[in-house]
Amino acid sequence: VMYAVTFWVNKDIQVTNTFFHGHEYQNELGDILILMETDLPSEILAKAKPLMDRAWNTRGHWMAHNLVWRCEATMKRCVLYGEKELLCEVIERMKREQLIITTEEGIQCDFSFHQHKSQLYNGGYGLKFQEDMPWWLDKLRDTPFAFSSEDIQIISSLILEGTQWMT
């Protein structure tokens, strides 16, 4: 694993697909770095930081579940590098921009879920959203970052009043 991580951060593989470049490989790399943090040489962690920074700093699609993935990758970066202020900003952005009823991408007034403009995506991006957001609800419960009862109600309604009727 050490050889693979060293290769990954030294090679700095660049891809044009914003899904992978914008958040996916940062999420995967972040998981590995967190698990191996105490065993990694400091120079590897230092070389990995610019790669992890891309999830928050890369231009691209920042709506609906793509934003959640970017926030997740950035939270991993914040944990690894002790960036408390950014962690607060990331969590608040995820809560503020995702847990609203919208006519754009995200949760709709009929509790369907749209991604990539007005495409119905309860079973694709929306399904991942319905898996990931309750996970965050649980992990942030009883912390200063806890979701409000209104936030919980929106996610519950998406699942019970929206997706449930589509499956």
Side-chain angles (χ1 to χ4, degrees):
V1 175
M2 186 70 73
Y3 177 79
V5 171
T6 302
F7 174 83
W8 200 349
V9 299
N10 285 328
K11 187 73 172 169
D12 190 12
I13 299 167
Q14 300 286 321
V15 294
T16 57
N17 181 315
T18 57
F19 177 81
F20 293 103
H21 188 69
H23 56 75
E24 184 60 22
Y25 84 78
Q26 290 89 349
N27 267 313
E28 301 296 332
L29 181 60
D31 288 341
I32 295 166
L33 294 174
I34 288 170
L35 289 171
M36 295 184 63
E37 182 181 13
T38 58
D39 298 319
L40 289 171
S42 58
E43 62 269 10
I44 295 298
L45 277 174
K47 283 184 174 183
K49 182 151 185 341
L51 281 65
M52 295 299 295
D53 290 350
R54 290 185 190 136
W56 195 249
N57 298 331
T58 300
R59 292 180 61 213
H61 198 74
W62 279 87
M63 297 181 79
H65 199 58
N66 283 320
L67 174 64
V68 175
W69 280 324
R70 284 178 179 243
C71 289
E72 288 175 352
T74 304
M75 284 186 255
K76 292 171 187 175
R77 164 190 148 184
C78 292
V79 167
L80 279 164
Y81 300 102
E83 298 173 316
K84 293 176 186 173
E85 287 180 24
L86 181 58
L87 179 64
C88 295
E89 179 185 336
V90 170
I91 292 171
E92 287 307 313
R93 183 167 182 187
M94 182 172 66
K95 289 165 53 176
R96 179 182 67 244
E97 294 187 22
Q98 294 312 299
L99 299 174
I100 59 170
I101 306 300
T102 184
T103 57
E104 297 181 13
E105 294 186 30
I107 303 171
Q108 305 298 302
C109 64
D110 63 353
F111 296 107
S112 61
F113 188 89
H114 289 187
Q115 186 83 38
H116 298 298
K117 300 195 170 108
S118 60
Q119 292 185 41
L120 180 63
Y121 255 115
N122 280 65
Y125 285 93
L127 182 58
K128 286 301 296 171
F129 183 88
Q130 293 166 77
E131 292 171 354
D132 291 349
M133 291 305 290
W135 190 89
W136 285 111
L137 287 171
D138 180 56
K139 297 304 173 211
L140 298 174
R141 184 177 9 150
D142 300 326
T143 74
F145 305 112
F147 287 79
S148 70
S149 58
E150 293 84 12
D151 295 337
I152 294 168
Q153 183 58 50
I154 290 172
I155 294 173
S156 297
S157 295
L158 171 65
I159 297 167
L160 298 174
E161 296 178 38
T163 304
Q164 172 179 268
W165 298 103
M166 296 180 197
T167 57

